Amino acid sequence: MAALIAENFRFLSLFFKSKDVMIFNGLVALGTVGSEELFSVVAFHCPCSPARNYIYGLAAIGVPALALFLIGVIWNNHTWNLVAECHKRGAKNFSAAATFLLFGSIMGRASVAPITWSVISLLRGEAYICALSEFVKPSSLDKFPAEYGADVLAKFPCRDVPANLTKFRDEVTRRLRYESQLFGWLLIGIVAVLVFLTKCLKHCCSPLSYRQEAYWAQYRSNEDKLFRRTAEVHSRILAAKNVKQFFGFVALDKEEKELVQEFPVEGVQPSPQWNAITGVYIYRENKGFPLYSRLHKWAKGVEGNGPTPEGHELLFLAS
């Protein structure tokens, strides 16, 4: 247990030294590992019954993975930016490659948790053994009694078998655990190769230098933090003004009074402005100068989101 805790702290320290996306993905993976461990200890109980083992074992791996995938899609800002983009403007401004990479970004980010769940489930092996124990051919087991069939093999994961079948149960469990862990390691290898190829493709297709991409990422992060913080203050001040107009006074604490005095809010932004800064953004340039976001583009008074003769469509999309 102490070794596991130490590994988790080392895992966290490495990811907190990386970029925000790596931090997010790492924390998602770590949380998924903990959830899978808890599920295996508390909730997983193989029915040890023919025809039920297979459904239950696959459900234990697939259903949580599907739920985690859908949660990942819902939590991804790209998803709702894409919905807003299609609702307001359609997808006519996107090339096929940009659209493909946008979906790839959404699916890739949402796949971190379900892949982690599947890998840990396969490495543990309990669900795989439960699902496939009844399908082991008795003829593949040396000197297996002929009077026993799939109904007995289905009980192997629960260890509820006659004494003379103990050695066969151990052999079946060892064989299936080997297969399950092999698939788990193969899945890790495939994902690692895909991540490596994706990173290479991204940097090869990008017209920006590495340093400018790093600056762009920092700008997006800072803009998002400042926008959220300012929107919270703006909405609080506007709400205070409206409440005061209705009641004749508003109960504010000391910090809120200072905010109202320091930042006078005269009104709200019209809907066209909100629509202009909402949606999927494809990096572009205007007369050689970069535009790093929809808000940046709106502030510069540039119209449209499609590629222009003096601009570049970058196959890397930002929210």
Side-chain angles (χ1 to χ4, degrees):
M1 180 61 69
L4 179 61
I5 294 175
E7 284 297 322
N8 287 339
F9 275 109
R10 189 178 298 113
F11 181 86
L12 282 175
S13 66
L14 288 175
F15 274 97
F16 274 106
K17 293 177 182 177
S18 300
K19 296 180 180 179
D20 290 343
V21 173
M22 295 296 292
I23 294 174
F24 175 80
N25 291 342
L27 293 178
V28 168
L30 185 61
T32 306
V33 171
S35 301
E36 205 282 335
E37 290 289 336
L38 181 63
F39 173 81
S40 298
V41 173
V42 177
F44 183 82
H45 299 287
C46 185
C48 293
S49 174
R52 295 180 181 176
N53 284 11
Y54 184 71
I55 297 175
Y56 185 82
L58 292 184
I61 299 175
V63 173
L66 176 61
L68 290 170
F69 177 78
L70 293 177
I71 292 172
V73 172
I74 292 172
W75 278 357
N76 195 325
N77 289 335
H78 284 318
T79 302
W80 308 116
N81 282 328
L82 178 62
V83 171
E85 187 72 26
C86 293
H87 176 68
K88 295 295 183 182
R89 307 175 187 88
K92 59 181 181 298
N93 290 328
F94 300 144
S95 67
T99 303
F100 173 78
L101 287 179
L102 173 60
F103 278 104
S105 173
I106 296 173
M107 299 304 162
R109 188 78 65 85
S111 297
V112 174
I115 289 176
T116 303
W117 179 278
S118 301
V119 167
I120 298 300
S121 297
L122 290 172
L123 292 180
R124 288 182 61 89
E126 280 85 352
Y128 187 89
I129 293 172
C130 177
L132 297 181
S133 61
E134 64 181 286
F135 297 103
V136 175
K137 294 182 179 180
S139 58
S140 65
L141 302 173
D142 187 30
K143 298 180 181 180
F144 187 81
E147 62 270 19
Y148 297 112
D151 55 337
V152 174
L153 291 170
K155 297 179 180 180
F156 277 11
C158 296
R159 301 178 179 273
D160 185 17
V161 296
N164 62 326
L165 296 181
T166 301
K167 66 175 184 179
F168 297 107
R169 182 200 66 202
D170 294 340
E171 181 180 349
V172 169
T173 301
R174 184 169 56 252
R175 182 187 302 179
L176 293 178
R177 192 180 301 277
Y178 153 77
E179 293 178 0
S180 179
Q181 293 183 348
L182 177 61
F183 290 141
W185 291 121
L186 288 176
L187 181 58
I188 291 175
I190 292 172
V191 171
V193 171
L194 289 177
V195 170
F196 172 75
L197 293 178
T198 301
K199 294 289 289 185
C200 291
L201 179 63
K202 172 200 163 186
H203 287 292
C204 289
C205 294
S206 173
L208 304 182
S209 66
Y210 176 78
R211 290 188 179 274
Q212 190 176 5
E213 277 198 23
Y215 178 85
W216 184 23
Q218 291 174 346
Y219 173 84
R220 294 200 314 270
S221 177
N222 289 325
E223 181 189 83
D224 182 66
K225 292 176 183 177
L226 292 173
F227 188 91
R228 290 176 183 272
R229 192 186 309 162
T230 305
E232 180 183 359
V233 174
H234 186 281
S235 61
R236 186 181 304 179
I237 297 173
L238 180 63
K241 290 182 62 176
N242 293 334
V243 171
K244 182 177 181 180
Q245 184 174 355
F246 183 82
F247 287 107
F249 73 96
V250 58
L252 300 175
D253 58 28
K254 182 179 179 181
E255 179 184 355
E256 289 171 337
K257 289 179 180 178
E258 293 175 352
L259 288 176
V260 171
Q261 294 175 358
E262 185 177 359
F263 303 110
V265 173
E266 301 299 333
V268 296
Q269 287 67 31
S271 293
Q273 290 186 7
W274 285 102
N275 293 335
I277 66 170
T278 303
V280 177
Y281 181 69
I282 301 176
Y283 174 85
R284 58 173 294 180
E285 296 179 357
N286 183 42
K287 299 179 180 179
F289 291 93
L291 299 173
Y292 289 120
S293 69
R294 280 193 170 276
L295 182 60
H296 189 190
K297 186 183 69 172
W298 172 84
K300 292 296 184 181
V302 179
E303 299 293 335
N305 191 37
T308 59
E310 69 276 7
H312 301 281
E313 184 185 60
L314 177 62
L315 303 184
F316 177 73
L317 297 141
S319 57

